[in-house]
Amino acid sequence: MDFKQIQELIKMINKSNIGEVSIEEKGFKLTIKQKEEPVQQIIAAPVQAHPVAAMTTAPVAAAQAPAAASEKPAKPAEPPVDNTVTIKSPMIGTFYRSPSPDKPSFANVGDEIEPGSVVCIIEAMKLFNEIESEVKGRIVKVLVEDASPVEYDQPLFLVEPA
């Protein structure tokens, strides 16, 4: 199973009322459980420095993606505007807008993006995962501060579709 398939499976399970799914293939086991209770919001400041290591697009252990974390971002996400599409975090990790501190951001407000355009990086378990846009449009708002912790399915960007 590749990362995109795992993302789609998680999205489908979130939209359904299935409590838990387990899949086992050739030495690979995946278990996805839905949260039963809402997680308490805890305000936390990011402690990590900006990444300087080379980026890798590697699959993340799928069991960590839907897991509940004890940290939430300091700012609650704003509700999406009617004519926008929300790009959400496919995993738990640390959000970075650029590949390294001395490089420009992948996507800024006003930038035009295409499907497949890298919009940010999420670091999870020392892996730097490039997050790509699935829509064509213009970035209207960045909803997360650079180097902030993010949750699974947390809104990251608002995009006005083209």
Side-chain angles (χ1 to χ4, degrees):
M1 239 183 171
D2 69 14
F3 186 66
K4 291 276 186 201
Q5 290 172 318
I6 293 170
Q7 280 183 301
E8 289 303 313
L9 182 61
I10 291 169
K11 286 178 187 176
M12 289 182 343
I13 291 170
N14 277 340
K15 291 178 183 175
S16 72
N17 57 358
I18 297 172
E20 180 177 334
V21 171
S22 290
I23 298 173
E24 208 166 323
E25 294 178 357
K26 307 175 199 164
F28 174 80
K29 184 175 181 180
L30 170 69
T31 302
I32 301 172
K33 297 179 183 179
Q34 287 215 38
K35 293 187 262 184
E36 293 179 17
E37 298 177 14
V39 179
Q40 273 187 312
Q41 183 168 354
I42 299 172
I43 298 174
V47 198
Q48 298 172 327
H50 211 307
V52 224
M55 299 179 299
T56 2
T57 308
V60 177
Q64 87 183 23
S70 60
E71 294 183 353
K72 285 273 189 172
K75 286 185 175 179
E78 296 178 15
V81 182
D82 291 339
N83 64 339
T84 61
V85 175
T86 305
I87 297 176
K88 296 181 179 182
S89 175
M91 65 188 70
I92 295 171
T94 304
F95 171 87
Y96 294 108
R97 293 189 60 196
S98 62
S100 66
D102 58 334
K103 302 281 183 196
S105 297
F106 289 111
N108 294 304
V109 174
D111 287 357
E112 295 291 328
I113 57 171
E114 299 283 331
S117 301
V118 176
V119 292
C120 66
I121 296 175
I122 295 184
E123 177 190 8
M125 298 187 65
K126 304 292 181 199
L127 292 175
F128 295 91
N129 302 280
E130 293 181 342
I131 307 305
E132 297 177 350
S133 171
E134 294 180 2
V135 297
K136 178 179 179 178
R138 184 178 57 83
I139 301 282
V140 176
K141 189 162 191 173
V142 180
L143 301 171
V144 181
E145 296 284 328
D146 194 35
S148 296
V150 292
E151 293 288 324
Y152 167 73
D153 217 26
Q154 177 179 339
L156 303 174
F157 297 91
L158 290 181
V159 178
E160 186 178 84

